[in-house]
Amino acid sequence: HEQRMLDERTELETRLIGLNTFLNKGQPDDMEDYDWDLLNSQAFAMRNYNYVLSARIRRFKAKYKSN
């Protein structure tokens, strides 16, 4: 269970790094504003998901490593 969460977080972080790299270059001229806003919303959601996964992993480790 913990390994699955760790793998998921690693995959998420890899994707988030790629998305952030793209976003940091600025909006492409051929991209509509709405699509740019959606990508930024996606990055925000991914950061929140990463926070939740990290919290779950910490709790899992605290619960099962202390036993």
Side-chain angles (χ1 to χ4, degrees):
H1 186 70
E2 178 186 11
Q3 188 59 50
R4 191 172 73 222
M5 287 190 291
L6 290 168
D7 292 344
E8 188 171 347
R9 184 177 64 180
T10 299
E11 184 177 321
L12 175 64
E13 288 173 345
T14 299
R15 290 179 178 177
L16 186 53
I17 288 168
L19 180 54
N20 283 332
T21 299
F22 178 77
L23 292 173
N24 287 334
K25 294 178 183 177
Q27 182 176 349
D29 293 336
D30 62 344
M31 181 177 285
E32 294 182 21
D33 290 344
Y34 184 70
D35 293 319
W36 183 250
D37 291 343
L38 287 173
L39 282 176
N40 279 283
S41 294
Q42 179 178 333
F44 180 79
M46 290 169 75
R47 284 190 297 273
N48 285 332
Y49 184 36
N50 189 40
Y51 173 81
V52 170
L53 269 177
S54 295
R56 290 182 61 211
I57 290 166
R58 282 191 305 274
R59 288 185 53 77
F60 185 91
K61 285 181 178 182
K63 182 176 181 180
Y64 292 103
K65 301 299 183 191
S66 64
N67 292 335

